[in-house]
Amino acid sequence: MFKKGLGVVFFIAVLLPFNFICYGANIDQSLFKGNKSELLKRYQELLNNTPKTAEFLTQRTLLSALINIVSNTNSEEIQKLKPETTNIKNQYDFLKLLKSIARLELKYRELNKKLDQIDKKLELLKENISQSQDNDKGLVVYQLQYAMYELTKRKLEEKNRFLISNFDKWKELLYKSFLTVNFDIEPLNKEIKRLKSEYHRLENLLQQLNIKNDRFALTNDIENMQRIQKSIEDTVEMKDKIALKVFDDYLLVYLAGIKSGKTNLGKNLNKWMKRINSYQLLSLAEAENDLAFYIEKRKIGTLRMIIKQIKAEGFRIVVNVWEFVNRPLFSIGLSKVSILGLFLSLVIFILGIKIGRVYKIKVRNAQISKSMAESTKIVLSNVGYYIIVLLTFFIALRVIGINLSSFTVILGALSVGVGFGLQNIVSNFIAGIILMLENSIRVGDYIEISDDIKGVVEDIQIRSTTILTNDHIEVVVPNQTLFQSNVVNWTLTERVRRFKIPFSVAYGTDLDKVERVVLEALEKSDLNYVRDNPLKRPMVIMVAMNSSSVDFNLDVWVSGIDLIHPRRTVSKFLKLIYKTLYENDIVIPFPQMDIHIKEMPRT
């Protein structure tokens, strides 16, 4: 039992001081709660009991401020928060009413900002008070300052409530005045013209002042720089005031248009609003614009207003996009290149390539003339294609804004590129042009570049030529190779070629018989060769006497499709010769060797 009582005493002795330390002071609500006389009496007592020393100067100052806040009534200040509701006789009186309501709107915004700031300060002071002890010297200052902010907040909230409760009434008054007032646009337009002239004069003056300021900055003339800076500030201020006046005149013109049913006269409002640099004047212009928007909404109806807003927003988006795509990205010489220019030039260039391809296909498939060769069509299609592409390339450059004089910069860069790495491409390009114009190698010709590369020319392009071999392999040959190498064109002048078909017979064979039977068999065959040309008649020629055979060649001229299949053609003639020799009992020799033994071995 004794141990249990000792534990309780220990618990109280330890935890009570801990709780006393952890819990701070509370906010003294008596400093700001109560009626006016009670608060003044309390403040006066505290002021009388506060020593008049430097240490307590802050407390005495705060108490004096609290007395002033409570003593001054808020009713006088609230009465000032009213628009100028004089008799509205003309459009200028209406403008005064509109501007006064706009200023009250700005006042309302300003009060809200102050209330937000005071709330943040109260939160911070509340935290400071909760972290302080009752005997802290700074606690009294925190409490008094908290009370001052609370009382100030009450007064501001009272003003805010007054403004909120009266805004609808004032706007209704504004709208009724709008319906009754007569707008006269003619004097407004004259004044706008005069103000614009004055605005441009001030712009020029501002430029002159900036030039002088730069000159004084170079010489480090501080005195004149300060004088010029003051003049610049005054000029900018005058410009803002004139811009606001122009905005107000355009606002009246806009409202006059709304009254007469024209809702498209507000394009100048945003233009002149953007020219105002002063934050206060710009805020006033925005508030006036909002009130004009309210009047327009009341006049034309909510639905029409929504439709107009959608149109205006769409137009604004289009304008912003248009300005964005026309913004210069970089410059080439004196030409500025924009996104829109690049896009249009790319579209034009791609369209030119498409048109060129369509032209190429149409020309190759067209039945222009029976006498026109297929190779001529292909050359015409290729040359026309590259001319179309080149023309669209220059048109695309013009769309970007690059003229031929600026294009010399690009040509200079290309010349450097040619010198370092593009010389082979340019060589192939020039060789391709020469091949097309020279017509020494045409589409459809059977050419031989080497023992491994021979075939029909399928296409001649600007960089390379495509050859289809007899093995149906397409070989792409750079034009420079064709231009610089020895090329055998089997079909350059005419599509006829002499084939030499080799064969052999055994020694002892009648040579005249060999010639006769081979030519007779050839004459009776259906093989494709030149028959009706006396200068190109087939001939059997003895060419050699080898160790095992007598060798002949059958010289025969071949034309047509067999010309471009030499192995197949040779095979046909060899089969004919073999059958002829076999049928006529002419021996086809094989290699033989006679061995003479001079002496037999003794074994």
Side-chain angles (χ1 to χ4, degrees):
M1 190 71 180
F2 174 75
K3 290 183 179 180
K4 185 177 180 181
L6 185 62
V8 172
V9 171
F10 177 78
F11 177 79
I12 295 173
V14 172
L15 290 186
L16 280 181
F18 179 78
N19 289 335
F20 178 76
I21 293 172
C22 288
Y23 290 104
N26 294 319
I27 296 172
D28 189 358
Q29 297 186 5
S30 65
L31 292 173
F32 53 86
K33 286 189 176 181
N35 56 39
K36 178 180 178 180
S37 58
E38 290 176 352
L39 290 175
L40 286 174
K41 182 179 179 181
R42 178 160 175 74
Y43 296 154
Q44 195 62 46
E45 289 177 357
L46 290 172
L47 186 62
N48 294 334
N49 295 329
T50 303
K52 297 180 180 180
T53 60
E55 183 180 357
F56 296 96
L57 178 62
T58 304
Q59 295 182 20
R60 294 182 62 84
T61 304
L62 287 170
L63 286 168
S64 299
L66 287 170
I67 292 172
N68 289 331
I69 291 172
V70 175
S71 300
N72 296 329
T73 59
N74 212 20
S75 58
E76 295 180 0
E77 296 182 8
I78 289 176
Q79 289 301 319
K80 296 178 182 179
L81 299 177
K82 290 183 179 180
E84 300 178 12
T85 57
T86 56
N87 188 20
I88 307 300
K89 298 178 181 179
N90 52 46
Q91 57 191 3
Y92 299 107
D93 292 337
F94 175 79
L95 181 62
K96 289 180 182 178
L97 175 62
L98 186 142
K99 291 178 78 70
S100 63
I101 297 176
R103 289 191 180 95
L104 291 173
E105 179 68 30
L106 295 180
K107 184 68 176 178
Y108 172 73
R109 297 176 189 174
E110 181 184 352
L111 290 175
N112 282 331
K113 288 182 181 179
K114 288 183 178 179
L115 287 172
D116 290 339
Q117 293 173 358
I118 288 176
D119 285 336
K120 292 178 182 178
K121 292 176 181 178
L122 287 173
E123 285 294 326
L124 185 60
L125 284 171
K126 186 177 181 180
E127 184 179 349
N128 291 338
I129 292 171
S130 65
Q131 293 177 356
S132 301
Q133 301 300 319
D134 291 336
N135 56 353
D136 287 349
K137 294 182 179 180
L139 179 61
V140 177
V141 175
Y142 289 153
Q143 297 281 15
L144 292 174
Q145 199 168 4
Y146 190 92
M148 182 184 68
Y149 287 144
E150 273 289 347
L151 294 173
T152 304
K153 179 180 177 181
R154 289 179 187 177
K155 289 199 170 188
L156 295 178
E157 287 177 341
E158 187 179 359
K159 292 178 181 178
N160 245 8
R161 287 193 295 270
F162 175 79
L163 291 173
I164 292 172
S165 62
N166 287 281
F167 267 133
D168 291 340
K169 180 178 67 175
W170 295 335
K171 287 182 178 180
E172 185 65 27
L173 173 64
L174 181 67
Y175 182 68
K176 289 181 179 179
S177 301
F178 164 76
L179 295 177
T180 58
V181 73
N182 292 322
F183 292 96
D184 190 1
I185 297 179
E186 185 176 352
L188 292 174
N189 288 330
K190 290 181 179 179
E191 187 178 11
I192 288 172
K193 185 177 180 180
R194 181 184 63 80
L195 291 173
K196 282 184 177 180
S197 177
E198 179 64 17
Y199 185 86
H200 292 314
R201 186 190 68 81
L202 290 175
E203 277 190 327
N204 294 331
L205 176 61
L206 186 61
Q207 292 294 334
Q208 295 293 335
L209 291 172
N210 284 322
I211 292 172
K212 288 184 179 179
N213 187 61
D214 293 340
R215 186 166 63 248
F216 291 138
L218 291 174
T219 58
N220 200 21
D221 191 344
I222 304 299
E223 183 178 352
N224 283 321
M225 282 178 62
Q226 292 176 349
R227 179 176 57 82
I228 293 295
Q229 285 290 342
K230 182 65 170 60
S231 299
I232 290 174
E233 292 174 1
D234 293 341
T235 305
V236 171
E237 184 178 354
M238 291 172 63
K239 273 184 59 184
D240 286 345
K241 290 180 179 179
I242 290 177
L244 182 60
K245 288 181 180 179
V246 175
F247 171 82
D248 289 339
D249 288 342
Y250 273 126
L251 186 66
L252 290 175
V253 173
Y254 177 57
L255 292 172
I258 293 173
K259 194 169 184 179
S260 62
K262 300 177 182 178
T263 59
N264 57 348
L265 301 177
K267 58 183 179 181
N268 290 308
L269 293 177
N270 289 331
K271 176 182 176 182
W272 282 92
M273 195 186 299
K274 291 178 181 178
R275 296 188 179 186
I276 301 174
N277 297 302
S278 171
Y279 175 75
Q280 293 180 347
L281 297 181
L282 178 60
S283 300
L284 179 60
E286 290 174 347
E288 292 177 25
N289 194 46
D290 291 340
L291 290 174
F293 178 80
Y294 164 79
I295 292 173
E296 183 180 9
K297 184 178 178 180
R298 287 283 302 272
K299 178 66 177 174
I300 68 176
T302 304
L303 181 60
R304 288 180 61 190
M305 195 65 189
I306 292 173
I307 295 173
K308 182 186 174 183
Q309 283 182 321
I310 293 173
K311 290 181 179 179
E313 186 65 20
F315 179 75
R316 187 185 65 81
I317 292 172
V318 171
V319 170
N320 290 338
V321 171
W322 182 259
E323 290 177 353
F324 174 75
V325 297
N326 280 282
R327 190 178 303 161
L329 292 177
F330 55 89
S331 298
I332 300 178
L334 298 177
S335 303
K336 295 181 179 180
V337 181
S338 63
I339 297 176
L340 180 62
L342 284 176
F343 175 75
L344 290 177
S345 63
L346 184 62
V347 169
I348 290 172
F349 188 64
I350 293 174
L351 186 62
I353 293 175
K354 294 289 186 183
I355 294 173
R357 287 178 178 173
V358 171
Y359 166 82
K360 182 188 286 189
I361 294 172
K362 293 291 184 182
V363 171
R364 291 192 179 187
N365 297 333
Q367 299 295 332
I368 301 174
S369 174
K370 294 183 179 180
S371 61
M372 181 177 290
E374 190 68 25
S375 61
T376 306
K377 288 183 183 180
I378 293 177
V379 170
L380 286 175
S381 65
N382 285 337
V383 172
Y385 169 76
Y386 290 115
I387 290 175
I388 292 172
V389 171
L390 190 63
L391 286 176
T392 53
F393 174 71
F394 283 110
I395 293 172
L397 290 180
R398 291 296 299 169
V399 169
I400 294 176
I402 301 175
N403 52 30
L404 292 179
S405 60
S406 299
F407 190 63
T408 54
V409 179
I410 301 176
L411 290 178
L414 286 176
S415 64
V416 175
V418 169
F420 284 99
L422 301 178
Q423 53 184 354
N424 288 332
I425 296 176
V426 174
S427 298
N428 289 323
F429 182 83
I430 296 173
I433 295 175
I434 293 174
L435 287 175
M436 290 181 185
L437 298 177
E438 192 179 39
N439 219 22
S440 58
I441 298 176
R442 300 158 300 185
V443 174
D445 284 351
Y446 189 87
I447 64 173
E448 180 179 350
I449 301 174
S450 64
D451 293 338
D452 298 326
I453 301 176
K454 62 176 70 174
V456 179
V457 177
E458 275 202 326
D459 196 6
I460 301 175
Q461 298 179 355
I462 203 71
R463 189 193 67 84
S464 60
T465 298
T466 304
I467 299 172
L468 181 65
T469 66
N470 291 335
D471 296 329
H472 207 76
I473 298 173
E474 291 181 329
V475 181
V476 179
V477 181
N479 290 329
Q480 187 179 5
T481 302
L482 299 176
F483 189 70
Q484 295 179 347
S485 304
N486 294 327
V487 179
V488 178
N489 192 339
W490 289 20
T491 56
L492 179 60
T493 56
E494 56 180 342
R495 302 182 71 85
V496 178
R497 183 201 168 193
R498 184 172 64 182
F499 281 78
K500 296 182 178 182
I501 316 299
F503 66 96
S504 302
V505 297
Y507 278 100
T509 305
D510 186 353
L511 300 180
D512 294 333
K513 180 183 178 182
V514 172
E515 181 179 357
R516 186 181 70 255
V517 296
V518 170
L519 291 177
E520 287 177 355
L522 183 62
E523 184 70 24
K524 295 176 182 178
S525 70
D526 57 354
L527 295 178
N528 175 34
Y529 68 96
V530 178
R531 299 172 182 264
D532 54 356
N533 192 334
L535 299 178
K536 296 179 180 179
R537 281 187 282 181
M539 300 175 63
V540 175
I541 300 174
M542 178 178 173
V543 294
M545 293 185 293
N546 285 322
S547 58
S548 302
S549 64
V550 178
D551 297 336
F552 291 87
N553 275 343
L554 171 61
D555 291 354
V556 61
W557 294 85
V558 178
S559 62
I561 192 66
D562 291 334
L563 184 64
I564 62 175
H565 300 290
R567 293 174 59 191
R568 191 185 307 171
T569 302
V570 171
S571 174
K572 291 178 182 179
F573 285 100
L574 284 174
K575 289 179 180 178
L576 175 67
I577 293 172
Y578 179 82
K579 291 178 180 179
T580 301
L581 296 178
Y582 183 77
E583 290 173 357
N584 289 278
D585 297 326
I586 298 175
V587 178
I588 300 174
F590 50 87
Q592 299 181 22
M593 182 178 293
D594 294 334
I595 300 175
H596 300 276
I597 301 174
K598 292 183 177 181
E599 185 178 349
M600 292 294 291
R602 293 181 180 180
T603 59

